[in-house]
Each structure stands twice: as structure tokens, then as C-alpha cells.
Amino acid sequence: MPSHRPPRPHGPHHGPRHAPLPSSVVSGLIRPDRLDALLAPWMPDAEERAFVVRCIVGEGPVHHRGASYTLVCLLGLLLEELGPGEGGAPAGESLPVPIRLPPHLARGDDHDYPLTIPLAPLARLAPRGSPELAALVDCLTDGPPHHALANAAMVCLLDALFARAARARAGAETA
């Protein structure tokens, strides 16, 4: 069956096509200690944090690990760019990220990952308590650990970014 996708552009504005990089190159750019430091405000326990970092950048396909690392670090750089925060993670309602096992492995005592997902940023998209908000949370926390935890980490950083933006706005209004 013929493809309905247009050919990928190339040339001076798009660059030449290239072969995928070896996984060792992608793995070499990942610095788990950087993610560890970014997640510290939300996860004070070093062992729990190391587990979550390992799930994000040590599990799943290498391109997922590299993409998650890149996005979390970019959010962290933006947070740093806005200057120091007011201690720790923003306080607010959050929900657990459930450990979801395939039905044949599930047990009655399954529990949650040690990282939670803040609701404040998501409530900007859907009202609290609504089915839409529940769907957002479900979409972000479903899937394998490397997806669910990377999503939760990004929402944590977005929560901190929104909090800093609100403080900056409030400071500008009082000035």
C-alpha cells in the first residue's frame, strides 16, 4: 500500500537525513544525577528518588529515555532561569502514580510509585473533580514506568514553573 505521507524535506533549511544514532550515544548523554537533583524537592528520600530516576532513564527504549531526559532537563533549565524558588516543591493537592501491572502479575497489595502528580497545573485544563481532569491524570499516569514517571516529573516541574510565574506576576503588580 502506498504511503500517503509527503516526502520529508531536506536541504539547507532542514539538513540531510541521517541514520539513527547508536543507543550508546543516547545513553551517554543521560546524566541521572541531574534528574536526581531536579526531583529532590518532590522526593526527599534519596533511595526513592534513585528508583524513580532509574525508571525514567534506565528503563524502556533508549529513545524514550533520551526524550524524557531532554524534556525534564529543559523544564529544569527554565526553572533555574527564573531564579531560586521559595523552598521545596509547591504545596498542593497531588495524586499517586499507580504501579500498573499486567493482570496476570497484579496482586491485591499493589501500590504506588513514590512520586505523585500535582493537580494544580492540570486543573488549568479541566475543572477539579471533573471526568476530564480524571482522564488527564489517567493518560499521564498510565503505561510503563518510564512513561508514567517521566510525565509525573514533568508535571511537577510545570507546577513549580506556574508557581514562580504567579509570584513574578504578583511582584510585578505590587511594584
Side-chain angles (χ1 to χ4, degrees):
M1 180 186 311
S3 171
H4 296 287
R5 269 178 23 182
R8 186 174 161 195
H10 63 281
H13 300 294
H14 299 283
R17 291 184 187 191
H18 62 82
L21 294 171
S23 61
S24 61
V25 173
V26 176
S27 295
L29 74 89
I30 294 172
R31 308 250 185 283
D33 56 317
R34 187 172 192 164
L35 289 187
D36 187 85
L38 286 172
L39 292 176
W42 290 272
M43 304 181 66
D45 184 278
E47 286 183 23
E48 289 180 345
R49 201 169 53 250
F51 169 69
V52 168
V53 168
R54 187 175 69 249
C55 287
I56 295 172
V57 296
E59 302 294 328
V62 72
H63 68 278
H64 286 229
R65 291 184 253 159
S68 293
Y69 174 79
T70 302
L71 292 170
V72 172
C73 286
L74 285 171
L75 289 169
L77 286 173
L78 183 55
L79 200 56
E80 289 171 13
E81 194 70 25
L82 294 175
E86 291 182 6
E93 186 180 359
S94 63
L95 291 175
V97 176
I99 294 177
R100 297 187 181 183
L101 296 172
H104 70 282
L105 296 176
R107 300 181 313 258
D109 63 347
D110 287 339
H111 58 282
D112 305 316
Y113 290 105
L115 181 63
T116 60
I117 188 165
L119 291 183
L122 303 177
R124 293 170 170 269
L125 299 174
R128 288 183 187 270
S130 70
E132 293 84 5
L133 183 62
L136 291 174
V137 171
D138 190 59
C139 289
L140 291 167
T141 60
D142 195 14
H146 61 276
H147 279 302
L149 292 169
N151 290 342
M154 286 186 265
V155 175
C156 286
L157 290 164
L158 286 165
D159 190 31
L161 286 164
F162 279 120
R164 287 198 191 167
R167 281 194 299 274
R169 201 171 34 257
E173 290 171 0
T174 59

